[in-house]
Amino acid sequence: MVDHKPVVAITGAGDGIGWATAQMFARNGYRVALLDVDADRASQRTRELGEGHADIRCDVSKETEVRAAFDTIAEQFGGLDALINNAGIGSPHLPTSEQTVESFGRILDVHLTGTFLCSREAHAVMAIRQSGSIVNVSSIAGITGLPRRNAYGAAKAGIASMTKSMACEWASVGIRVNAVAPGYVATALVKKLESEGFVDTPRLHRRIPMGRLARPEEIAAAIYFLSSSGASYITGTVLSVDGGWTAFGDAGDAHVPAA
Ligand SMILES: NC(=O)c1ccc[n+]([C@@H]2O[C@H](COP(=O)([O-])OP(=O)(O)OC[C@H]3O[C@@H](n4cnc5c(N)ncnc54)[C@H](O)[C@@H]3O)[C@@H](O)[C@H]2O)c1
């Protein structure tokens, strides 16, 4: 019997936003390919999702690993309907004068090169059927200036730019390309920054008009919408999902608790 379930590949699907997104697509009838550099976690998550899904160990910054991962997807699932470029790492929050080329390069490799490589390989599979959707994960860091986070901001701004160029290039082959730009999300990545003293959560809450961090599921819902038929005429957009962070341009606290 032919399985007509749509297929999504999600990078960094082992934790945080990627894992919430994997669960969202699975609930909506997708077969999920969970790509992650952490093989044990991805395989545990795949077991949690149940039958019909697959985990693939892949460092998105390595061309040979990305090629092999998409070959496996094409072989195992017979096609690809959606790609979510989500894998990412935090930056070290150092003054520019202390930043090294190695660390700068690694952030660009994972976020920017990873998004490029996975999109290129997904395009090759999607173009066969002349249809598909790619959603990239940018950040408020790619829209505004976050001091000490040069590489991360540059990578996320690059992802927003590449989203637009790929959207225009691939519209004629039926592939839509969009991005979400999340604000601060309560995931392991942010908890680590908090424990290292780089993030002061109560202070952040005051800077966010909605007065709280996002839940991973809220980012997953926006990603799912952009992949869905409800967004059939949307391509090349970068959707802020930030509780109002980038809308705020006034002095002082953005969050004013109701009286
Ligand atoms: N958490 C936030 O506040 C926030 C805000 C804006 C954007 N983002 C972006 O959202 C994405 C997910 O962030 P998160 O907070 O869920 O992170 P997370 O640390 O909770 O999860 C990231 C996942 O990516 C995997 N990963 C890391 N490097 C990889 C690589 N080279 N190849 C494949 N997989 C790799 C990790 O193993 C992990 O499973 C990232 O791109 C991040 O920059 C996060």
Side-chain angles (χ1 to χ4, degrees):
M1 203 180 79
V2 182
D3 186 350
H4 291 299
K5 281 187 170 183
V7 177
V8 60
I10 303 174
T11 70
D15 209 0
I17 296 167
W19 171 229
T21 305
Q23 293 173 89
M24 172 88 54
F25 276 84
R27 272 198 302 276
N28 282 282
Y30 277 75
R31 299 177 71 191
V32 185
L34 298 94
L35 276 59
D36 206 293
V37 73
D38 185 335
D40 291 343
R41 191 157 45 192
S43 121
Q44 169 60 31
R45 295 307 200 185
T46 304
R47 282 197 297 278
E48 287 177 48
L49 281 188
E51 288 281 299
H53 310 288
D55 52 284
I56 302 170
R57 196 222 158 260
C58 173
D59 179 340
V60 295
S61 67
K62 305 268 166 39
E63 186 171 23
T64 47
E65 293 188 22
V66 172
R67 274 192 202 278
F70 282 83
D71 285 350
T72 304
I73 290 168
E75 236 168 71
Q76 208 163 321
F77 294 103
L80 183 64
D81 299 278
L83 164 68
I84 315 302
N85 280 309
N86 161 79
I89 52 175
S91 55
H93 286 64
L94 287 170
T96 302
S97 56
E98 294 171 27
Q99 290 168 12
T100 64
V101 158
E102 290 73 23
S103 153
F104 193 91
R106 182 65 191 148
I107 303 279
L108 289 188
D109 284 350
V110 173
H111 290 271
L112 196 52
T113 308
T115 298
F116 156 66
L117 286 173
C118 292
S119 301
R120 189 187 70 187
E121 297 309 308
H123 165 267
V125 184
M126 291 172 175
I128 296 167
R129 290 195 201 146
Q130 302 254 302
S131 101
S133 157
I134 297 175
V135 178
N136 300 321
V137 179
S138 179
S139 165
I140 53 171
I143 299 170
T144 60
L146 297 189
R148 298 176 171 225
R149 300 183 68 186
N150 282 324
Y152 188 80
K156 293 305 196 185
I159 286 171
S161 170
M162 213 160 52
T163 297
K164 294 172 194 172
S165 58
M166 293 190 299
C168 297
E169 186 179 338
W170 294 340
S172 55
V173 287
I175 300 171
R176 297 184 300 104
V177 188
N178 291 291
V180 292
Y184 284 88
V185 189
T187 66
L189 191 143
V190 167
K191 283 187 195 111
K192 181 165 178 281
L193 295 175
E194 198 177 21
S195 68
E196 291 166 350
F198 294 127
V199 161
D200 173 349
T201 307
R203 194 160 157 244
L204 269 188
H205 286 174
R206 293 197 298 275
R207 173 61 183 80
I208 302 165
M210 286 181 68
R212 64 172 178 84
L213 306 194
R215 296 185 297 276
E217 302 76 40
E218 293 176 305
I219 311 304
I223 292 172
Y224 183 75
F225 164 69
L226 287 172
S227 300
S228 73
S229 59
S232 57
Y233 197 58
I234 302 179
T235 198
T237 200
V238 181
L239 178 64
S240 292
V241 192
D242 63 4
W245 179 285
T246 45
F248 185 72
D250 206 350
D253 290 351
H255 179 60
V256 184

